[in-house]
Amino acid sequence: MNWRSILSRRERKKLKKDLKVQEKQNVEVRDQLAMERTKLANERTLLAYSRTAMALVLAGLSFIKFFEDPLYKGFGAMFIPIGLVIGFVGYRRYCKKQERIQHHTRVYAPTSPVHAEVAAQEKAEPDTNTPNPIV
């Protein structure tokens, strides 16, 4: 004898409804976690741009300060504006992506609370479709 034969038809139907509600809630949690991962990825990208820009500016300053050769001083003078441009580009990309993420966050509407409320109301109300057993 397996568990399917133990459960009545009505109990199986109720169990399926509960499982569907739980699946919807699981999808909502996955969506929320995906949104958080997206925000964190955007922040990591900004930090990578900042780190690269800072490294280029510091390399440029080091070349200018520690080397007497005009070639190295030229490289140093070139690295500083390149680093500043990379920092600016990274910040602009971060801001644009952040706006898009905020837009998607505002548009996103979770549906699990509605499904959970409907399931709770169905549990509270007696099932009118099935005949009452004779007592």
Side-chain angles (χ1 to χ4, degrees), residues 6-111:
I6 294 172
L7 295 175
S8 69
R9 181 179 178 150
R10 185 176 185 195
E11 290 171 341
R12 280 190 301 228
K13 191 175 182 181
K14 181 181 171 221
L15 182 62
K16 283 183 181 180
K17 280 185 181 180
D18 290 344
L19 288 175
K20 283 184 182 181
V21 170
Q22 185 62 44
E23 287 174 6
K24 294 268 186 196
Q25 290 172 343
N26 291 345
V27 167
E28 297 296 331
V29 169
R30 282 193 302 260
D31 289 348
Q32 290 171 352
L33 291 175
M35 188 62 69
E36 290 301 316
R37 283 191 301 269
T38 303
K39 290 176 185 177
L40 292 173
N42 193 31
E43 291 172 6
R44 279 192 308 270
T45 303
L46 173 66
L47 291 173
Y49 271 105
S50 301
R51 185 176 52 240
T52 303
M54 187 171 46
L56 285 171
V57 169
L58 289 176
L61 291 173
S62 298
F63 279 172
I64 291 172
K65 177 73 176 170
F66 295 119
F67 292 103
E68 295 298 327
D69 190 6
L71 179 66
Y72 287 116
K73 287 192 180 232
F75 279 135
M78 203 171 56
F79 282 167
I80 293 172
I82 290 173
L84 293 174
V85 167
I86 287 177
F88 179 73
V89 167
Y91 181 72
R92 291 281 299 158
R93 284 190 59 174
Y94 170 78
C95 289
K96 286 182 181 180
K97 295 287 183 187
Q98 190 68 17
E99 287 174 11
R100 289 182 63 198
I101 291 169
Q102 290 298 328
H103 172 72
H104 289 297
T105 303
R106 284 190 303 270
V107 171
Y108 176 73
T111 57

